[in-house]
Amino acid sequence: MDVIRGELSDAVTKLRKALRSPKAAFVAIDEEFTGISFNNASFQECNPLSDSASSRYAKMRSVAQSFGLMQLGIAVFEKDGDKYRSSVFNCYVFAAEVQGGRDVNLSTGAISFLRKNSMDFGTWLTQGIPYVDAAGEARLLQEAQDPPPRNTFELRDASSKVFADAELAKVEVLSNQTDVKQMDLQPHQAAVVRKYLHQEIERRFPLIATEKGPLKHQIRCVLLTESEKERRDQVSMQRRLDDVKEHKIGARSLFVELRDACRDRKLPLVGHNCLYDLLFLLEHFEQPLPEAWADFKALVTSNFPVIVDTKTFAPRAGFPERRTALDQCYEAVQASQGAQVRFARGFGKYGPEESSSSDDSEDGEVNDEARTAAFRAALDAPRRDPRTSQRFHEAESGARASK
């Protein structure tokens, strides 16, 4: 399923459910970036084989810091006998517009590649889910819990000041009442006068809340008890928190669900040639990448203890060593007779959805064409290659290939 602005909450709920399923076997990721090199240089030009791991990391770290994410793909695979059920989330993401946030830099080479592969740039630009890292989330949550800052209004017009003072005198009477609980003030067309009244009522009378009155440009005052005031404040703060989670913290919520499942349940994280995916994932959703290669490996391990890189895994599973690019692996598994993959209900973009009836029903099974589409969607669906009887998932302990 494609996930865009306004659909985040539903996606987080569905992702959490899939990741916490007792049948969840592994989760695969893929990402699209706004650039993977400077000056449109090829990866081989930027990262010759003679580079040490530390040297290559330093170069790739700089790329992850300079460019941004466009899509985050997450595919959860639940094992049921010799079949798998997949829930695939294709999330459009766009750096949040917050103070101290990231600029969006584009590489013409990367954009050209994505255009050729039908990237929907319009959806990315207009509907991309915002995201921040852990520090940004903490700052935004703290700001949401604090009372929002307000502008200060003053009335310079004498007649407006006389009107406001008269209305505030009525509010003072209401604040001392025990039997009257609300009162509607006289409407006033000037927005600055109404804002001034809201400001002064809140400042002078803490137990009086202001609302829209039944008439145009009218303010209604409601006298609250201490407990009612506390409940209103809590509801107001929760609305601010919900708003900041949806419209600013955004896609970090997806990362947290993914990270927690992989970290706490040791759920394997699967990718294909996925060092860049890990670099961008942690840089943009968790924290600035450390300078040292050893510190980066420790950061990866603390968030994703079990990683399977299928590019490294492929030769061990029978693929020719020099034919391990993603498209080559994709072609190889088209003729494979491995595990069947079905798509959970609501995730039918890549093939037929599973049936709502029993698991034994054939209605939800995926044919050969749809099965290979699942590999493309998830990058690394477990397959049995015709040249070997060993399945990917059966050798994960020997194939851990965190780069």
Side-chain angles (χ1 to χ4, degrees):
M1 62 181 291
D2 287 341
V3 185
I4 58 176
R5 265 182 205 266
E7 300 173 356
L8 177 63
S9 179
D10 181 55
V12 170
T13 299
K14 291 180 178 178
L15 177 62
R16 181 185 301 123
K17 180 180 179 181
L19 288 170
R20 296 184 182 182
S21 167
K23 294 183 178 181
F26 67 93
V27 55
I29 62 168
D30 187 24
E31 299 161 32
E32 299 296 348
F33 320 118
T34 62
I36 58 170
S37 67
F38 299 110
N39 302 318
N40 294 325
S42 69
F43 182 85
Q44 290 76 14
E45 291 173 332
C46 297
N47 303 279
L49 293 176
S50 59
D51 276 353
S52 65
S54 297
S55 176
R56 177 170 292 190
Y57 167 69
K59 296 176 183 178
M60 296 177 71
R61 170 177 176 263
S62 180
V63 169
Q65 291 173 326
S66 300
F67 294 103
L69 281 163
M70 299 179 72
Q71 283 185 331
L72 170 62
I74 304 173
V76 185
F77 288 82
E78 299 172 66
K79 194 173 189 301
D80 186 11
D82 61 349
K83 301 176 182 178
Y84 285 85
R85 181 174 71 171
S86 180
S87 303
V88 182
F89 303 83
N90 177 39
C91 311
Y92 288 86
V93 296
F94 197 98
E97 185 181 354
V98 296
Q99 185 176 7
R102 297 177 179 272
D103 293 329
V104 177
N105 300 315
L106 303 178
S107 162
T108 55
I111 298 305
S112 176
F113 169 80
L114 293 171
R115 184 175 63 245
K116 292 176 183 177
N117 287 275
S118 304
M119 165 63 75
D120 189 341
F121 292 98
T123 297
W124 172 61
L125 288 169
T126 62
Q127 299 295 322
I129 305 167
Y131 64 85
V132 295
D133 61 11
E137 177 186 34
R139 183 180 66 255
L140 289 168
L141 289 176
Q142 184 58 55
E143 291 174 355
Q145 293 180 64
D146 296 335
R150 298 184 182 276
N151 295 326
T152 301
F153 298 96
E154 295 183 4
L155 297 180
R156 301 184 184 279
D157 178 72
S159 61
S160 297
K161 187 67 167 62
V162 170
F163 173 87
D165 288 343
E167 296 303 299
L168 289 171
K170 297 178 185 178
V171 177
E172 184 174 10
V173 173
L174 175 65
S175 68
N176 296 318
Q177 295 290 327
T178 56
D179 53 343
V180 179
K181 294 297 182 181
Q182 71 178 40
M183 177 180 62
D184 295 330
L185 303 183
Q186 289 295 317
H188 199 288
Q189 290 186 343
V192 67
V193 173
R194 299 195 301 274
K195 291 177 180 178
Y196 176 80
L197 286 170
H198 281 291
Q199 166 190 286
E200 293 303 304
I201 292 170
E202 180 180 3
R203 184 176 67 85
R204 301 183 194 183
F205 311 106
L207 292 181
I208 292 185
T210 55
E211 304 172 349
K212 286 186 177 180
L215 302 179
K216 188 176 182 180
H217 304 319
Q218 187 176 47
I219 297 174
R220 169 167 289 178
C221 298
V222 181
L223 181 61
L224 307 174
T225 63
E226 292 284 356
S227 59
E228 289 172 338
K229 175 69 162 56
E230 183 178 355
R231 283 196 298 271
R232 282 210 177 202
D233 289 345
Q234 290 174 347
V235 169
S236 179
M237 184 180 69
Q238 189 59 53
R239 286 175 180 167
R240 296 196 301 272
L241 287 170
D242 291 343
D243 181 73
V244 79
K245 288 177 181 178
E246 181 76 20
H247 298 107
K248 292 186 178 180
I249 295 171
R252 175 167 157 79
S253 301
L254 297 166
F255 167 81
V256 170
E257 293 294 337
L258 173 68
R259 187 270 316 277
D260 289 355
C262 291
R263 182 188 62 192
D264 300 339
R265 297 184 53 201
K266 303 299 187 291
L267 195 66
L269 182 72
V270 182
H272 189 87
N273 201 21
C274 59
L275 180 53
Y276 257 140
D277 296 291
L278 294 170
L279 285 161
F280 275 84
L281 195 67
L282 292 168
E283 166 70 23
H284 291 265
F285 290 118
E286 182 60 13
Q287 67 176 67
L289 294 174
E291 291 188 16
W293 168 240
D295 293 337
F296 170 71
K297 291 191 292 183
L299 176 64
V300 171
T301 303
S302 66
N303 285 277
F304 303 104
V306 181
I307 297 175
V308 178
D309 190 323
T310 51
K311 183 173 178 64
T312 304
F313 201 130
R316 308 186 189 191
F319 287 88
E321 185 172 354
R322 295 187 179 277
R323 292 189 56 80
T324 58
L326 180 58
D327 58 340
Q328 294 167 337
C329 291
Y330 169 67
E331 292 173 2
V333 300
Q334 282 185 318
S336 70
Q337 302 298 317
Q340 292 180 329
V341 176
R342 301 176 296 173
F343 293 92
R345 293 185 63 80
F347 295 87
K349 178 179 179 179
Y350 299 100
E353 299 178 13
E354 67 174 356
S355 171
S356 59
S357 56
S358 69
D359 290 340
D360 295 331
S361 171
E362 296 182 357
D363 293 341
E365 294 184 2
V366 180
N367 58 28
D368 289 341
E369 181 179 356
R371 190 183 304 127
T372 55
F375 180 89
R376 172 181 292 173
L379 288 182
D380 333 278
R383 302 290 178 203
R384 188 198 302 273
D385 187 87
R387 292 158 293 189
T388 178
S389 62
Q390 184 181 33
R391 293 178 180 171
F392 285 104
H393 68 275
E394 292 172 343
E396 73 176 32
S397 60
R400 184 177 176 186
S402 173
K403 290 188 177 182

